[in-house]
Structure formats: C-alpha cells, structure tokens
Amino acid sequence: MKVLVPVKRVIDYNVKARVKPDGSGVDLANVKMSMNPFGEIAVEEAVRLKEKGVVSEIVVVSIGPTQAQETIRTALAMGADRGILIQTDETVEPLSVAKLLKAVVEEEKPDLAILGKQAIDDDANQTGQMLAALLDWPQGTFASELEIADGKAKVTREIDGGLQTLAVELPAVITTDLRLNEPRYASLPNIMKAKRKPIDMKTPDDYGVALETRLEQIKVEEPPKRQAGVIVESVAELVDKLKNEAGVI
Amino acid sequence: MAILVVAEHDNAHLSDATNKAVTAALKMGGDVDVLVAGENAGDVAAEAAKIEGVRAVLHADGPTLAKQLAEAMQALIVPLMGDYDAVLAPATTSGKNFLPRVAAALDVMQISEIVSVEAPDTFVRPIYAGNAMQTVKSTDKIKVITVRPTAFDAAGNGGSASVKSIDAPAGPFKSAFVSEELTQSDRPELTAAKIVISGGRGMGSGENFAMIERIADKLGAAVGASRAAVDAGFVPNDYQVGQTGKVVAPELYIAVGISGAIQHLAGMKDSKVIVAINKDEDAPIFQVADYGLVADLFKALPELEEAL
Ligand SMILES: Cc1cc2nc3c(=O)[nH]c(=O)nc-3n(C[C@H](O)[C@H](O)[C@H](O)COP(=O)(O)OP(=O)(O)OC[C@H]3O[C@@H](n4cnc5c(N)ncnc54)[C@H](O)[C@@H]3O)c2cc1C
Ligand SMILES: Cc1cc2nc3c(=O)[nH]c(=O)nc-3n(C[C@H](O)[C@H](O)[C@H](O)COP(=O)(O)OP(=O)(O)OC[C@H]3O[C@@H](n4cnc5c(N)ncnc54)[C@H](O)[C@@H]3O)c2cc1C
C-alpha cells in the first residue's frame, strides 16, 4: 500500500511571528523555518505503518519555494521513500494546494493520504478536507489513533466532546492531531541516506493547475496588546482583587 | 443576500455557538436561515426557530445525519447553496470537519475562524496562533465561512421563525460511525463558561486536578488544561485550550502551573481577566496576566479553595 504525505514548510513553532510595520504580512526574513509540526506527525504515522508492514511506499510532497526541499529531506530522513516538490514562490491557498494534491494523487494512486490537521502559520485547517471532497474520498480528520485493516481505516478522532471512532473505506484522507504519535528525530545515518533519496522537481503547470487567489489579503495587523497586570502577594489579596476590583467572582 | 447558518447541536440541544454564528451572519446583512441536520432533532429545530433575526429553519432529519459526518453534510448542504450567497458554521470540531468539503465542492476558498465581519465580503481572522490578525476579502461568489464563537455575542431567543422539513441525504457513505467516548461532566461547557480554571504540567498528576475541580465547583467554572497536561494523561483531550485545542474567552481565566507558551496563549488571551498562579516568576504567562501570584500551587490552591 502506498501513502502520500503532504508536508508544508512553515515558521518554526518556537518562533513568535512578527507583523511587518507596513501591514503587508508577517516578517519571514531570517526566521527559522521548519516542517509544520502536524506534518511531522503525519510522516511519523506513515513510517510506523511501513515498519508494521502495512505500507510499502511513502511519497512526500510539498508545495512551496525551493527551500521546501529541506522540509522534504527531513521527511526522507525520518523514513519516507521519495519526494515531490511542486515549486512556486507564490502564496498558495488551501483550495489550490488541494487541487495540486489531487493531481498528484491521480498520478501516484496512493491508498491513503495523511495530512496535518492544520498548518501553524495560516491555521486554516481545511486542506485535507478539501482534498477528500475533490477526490470524492471519505475522511478521518483530527486523528489521535489510526488502524488499517481489511481495506478500512479505523480512525479515532479528537472532537469537542471527547473522542469519536469512525470506520473509513480506503482510499481515504486522514488528518493528524497532536496525540497521534510523537515524531522521531532523524538519526545522522538516516540524514545521510536521505541525501540520496530522489526528489522530483515539478511546477504547478506540470499538473495543469492554475494558482488562483480567491482571498485577497487587505492587511495584517498586530492583535490588541494586553496591559501588563500586577503581582499580588497572597491568595487573600488575589481573592479581594477579583471580588472588589475586577468584580468577576 | 441570503445566508445559511449550520446549527451546532447534539440532536437534543442547540449549542449557543449557533446563536453566535447567527450574529456574524446578521452582520453580513440579508436574510438568515438556520439548517438543523440531525436525527430525531425536532426539539433542536424548534429551539433554532426562536433565535432572533432568523427567517426560517430548514430541518433535515435522518440516520445519515445522526453524527453530522462530513460526507453526508456535504451531500446535504451543497445542493442547498443554489439559494444562498453564503454558508456559515461555528468553528467547532464539527464545523471544521465538514465545511471545507462544502467549500471545495463549490470550488470556493473557505474563510476559517473569522473574528469580525468588516463588510459582506471582508473578514478578520487570526493567523500564526493569534500573533497576527489578517483582513481578507473574498472574491468568490459564494462565501464559505467558519465563525469563532467567542468573538461574537449570542443572538437572543425571542424569535419565531418557521420550520421547514427537507430530505436527509440517502447515502450510503464511505465512512461510518463506530463509537464515541464523551466526557461526562456537570460543569459548564468549556467554551461557554464564564469562568475557566486550567491546570498545566505543574499539576503533576491527574489526581491533583481534584484541587482544581473543587475550586471550579465553588466558582461554577469549567476546567481546562494545557497540552502538556493532556499529553501526560492528567485529563482528557477535550480539556485542551490553545491554538490546536479550544478557544475560550471567559470573564475570568485562571491558569495554574501553566508556563504560557504561544500555543496556549492563542486559546485564552482574549479572556477578560486573567489570573496566573506559577512558582516561576519569569514564566511568560505573567506577561498576559492581570493578576499574578508567584507561589507553589500545592499551597495556593488549598488556600484559594478555603477563601472562596
Ligand atoms: C506573507 C503571507 C501572506 C499570505 N497571504 C495570504 C492570502 O492573501 N490569502 C490566503 O488565503 N492565504 C495567505 N497566506 C497563507 C498561505 O496561503 C497559506 O499557507 C495557505 O492558505 C495554506 O493554508 P494552511 O497551510 O493553513 O492550510 P491547512 O489546511 O491548515 O493545512 C493543513 C495541511 O495541509 C497540507 N498542506 C498545506 N499546504 C501545503 C503545501 N504548501 N504543501 C504541502 N502540503 C500542504 C499539510 O499537510 C498541512 O499540515 C499568506 C501567507 C503569508 C506568509
Ligand atoms: C503544533 C503545536 C501545537 C500546540 N498546541 C497547543 C495547545 O493547543 N494548547 C497548549 O496548551 N499547548 C499547545 N502546544 C504546546 C505548548 O508549546 C507547550 O508545550 C505547552 O502549552 C506547555 O504546557 P504547560 O505550560 O502546562 O507546561 P510547561 O511549559 O512545562 O509549564 C509548567 C509550568 O508549571 C509551573 N510549575 C511547576 N510546578 C509548579 C508548582 N508546584 N507550583 C506552581 N507552578 C508550578 C512551572 O514553573 C512552569 O511554568 C502546542 C505545541 C505545538 C508544537
């Protein structure tokens, strides 16, 4: 069984994003970039399925600038087999990402696509669901447990009220939640090995997908800042302030 | 303009996240209808009909809609969109699950988790864990939008809209419900509570959360947690507050033994009053706290319980 894992290159999760003074976006110059953490979880899950003998090949794909090759290499070092970079320097909205991924699916014919539930930059949480709709595949989103057996995926999902389990026919789209697994660190020998694994260089044109922009960004601003508060000396003072100053209890 | 709001409910009760999404829809202007999709959800449809400002309620009832699974919701909503210019759903795990499918099927971009309506086609939404606010204008003919409930007031319940039955999709679909494990609690729901008290890794164990629960019961508060506390198994996943958990904005948020990582702040920094109890005076949580108490929580929590 073949798995497709789309991974996105994003601002590192430890970096606090800064808005550009001219309101044109977030300053990404000289900022540390890494694989989207949910993408790491997706790669890890695919690698574990391969280690269990369920999966035979893992193809990772990234849509983004030339540097997104590094992101693909990281996935290859974790255990993926080969990569596809769809190179573009433009902003690609989730709908276009989903259309490109659909084209890749039609070419690669995987039985499963595992995506992150959201990318931590744009926080859109939609690409996986859109891909599923475009392919007319079922979906198991926000997965915290995944079992593959008898042509089906048993997916436990993190929902607002607790956990929900679905049986999903393959081929299907799965999106990962935080507790699905803990991604491994690539070992040095595996990082070296990954350098020899193939990455196909493509462009959106190769797939006949025009990158359309449906959402025009008007501006990006800092969120309202909170006033720094006071340090209280005791629980008694805290309770007094909450009752008499803030009036919230 | 006509707008469809998809109701959030559990077949028995309507969630007030629906009322909040209606408020967002009313801000866009035009006629607002509510879609109740469920199984034996007649009571919910009746409740939805009372939301002020709603023109009509569409009620689709049947086994394929019992859990509002994504494929069935897509099959239900997409054909309805011939009559509407926009569809909105609360940005709950349910809305986030099905609405992007609807968007893709309609070939439009979804606008995720809006916190403000600037114009019928222009919205503000947080990006980068709330460290930046993006204003976007949609050029799509149909707008597909998820609404962050904490950012809008709930529409009132003094209305009397008509309820119209429509067909549930027949199926079969390629995914099936197997089981669920819902957290049982008599406390208020996390995202709707006026007071939230959350524990982090500093709590040390699930047993120690009892200290937080006792205070929650005295205050009528909901209990939340950081990711570290959930990952460690102290509390279930649905307690998680943050960028990738629940977003809350109560009158009072009390963070206990939580350091204040960007991802946690993303879920609570719009609370009206924030209290932090942490033994490390340099913990970043103090930078957003209105009242900070530098103390060992094992000493402070029993004192707090006593004082209330
Ligand atoms: C300066 C700047 C300006 C921007 N302006 C706009 C704008 O005007 N309009 C707008 O809509 N967006 C804008 N964006 C955001 C950018 O387009 C988003 O990256 C895009 O919308 C995708 O959203 P997402 O990654 O949050 O999707 P999600 O749905 O959250 O992503 C979920 C998953 O989908 C997969 N995935 C997503 N993207 C890729 C990818 N490129 N390659 C491989 N897999 C992927 C991954 O598995 C990921 O975990 C801007 C970003 C920046 C930095
Ligand atoms: C992709 C991604 C998504 C994430 N999403 C979320 C999210 O949605 N929500 C979330 O919360 N996190 C999220 N995180 C994790 C986040 O980065 C932090 O790791 C997490 O919030 C830390 O939890 P914590 O504050 O409980 O633990 P820690 O950072 O370990 O802090 C524990 C605090 O407790 C204090 N403490 C310890 N003992 C005591 C004591 N006896 N008395 C008083 N204080 C004490 C310590 O001083 C410390 O400040 C995410 C991370 C990633 C990478």
Side-chain angles (χ1 to χ4, degrees), chain A residues 13-14 36-38 41 117-118 120 178-179, chain B residues 199-204 225-231 234 240-246 253 256-267 277-286 293-300:
Chain A
Y13 80 93
N14 280 310
N36 180 35
F38 290 98
I41 296 172
K117 82 162 176 182
Q118 81 194 58
I120 60 161
L178 290 170
R179 278 163 284 275
Chain B
R201 199 196 311 266
M203 294 305 297
S226 71
R227 172 189 175 184
V230 177
D231 284 3
F234 300 170
Q240 183 177 313
V241 170
Q243 180 184 16
T244 53
K246 288 183 183 160
Y253 187 88
V256 185
I258 291 178
S259 61
I262 300 171
Q263 295 86 5
H264 188 78
L265 300 185
I277 301 176
N278 196 303
K279 67 176 180 188
D280 172 10
E281 60 180 330
D282 296 324
I285 189 79
F286 287 122
L293 178 64
V294 182
D296 188 325
L297 67 92
F298 294 102
K299 199 168 152 284

Side-chain angles (χ1 to χ4, degrees), chain A residues 1-3 45-46 48-50 52-56 111-114 143 145-156 166-174 180:
Chain A
M1 179 164 114
K2 189 179 194 177
V3 180
E45 196 62 19
R48 288 187 190 188
L49 287 171
K50 193 173 173 193
K52 280 191 212 149
V54 177
V55 160
S56 50
D111 304 283
L112 197 61
I114 310 181
E145 246 182 273
L146 175 64
E147 254 176 72
I148 308 282
D150 311 323
K152 280 194 179 152
K154 198 171 143 208
V155 191
T156 303
L166 299 182
V168 178
E169 282 173 30
L170 298 183
V173 169
I174 305 295
L180 184 58

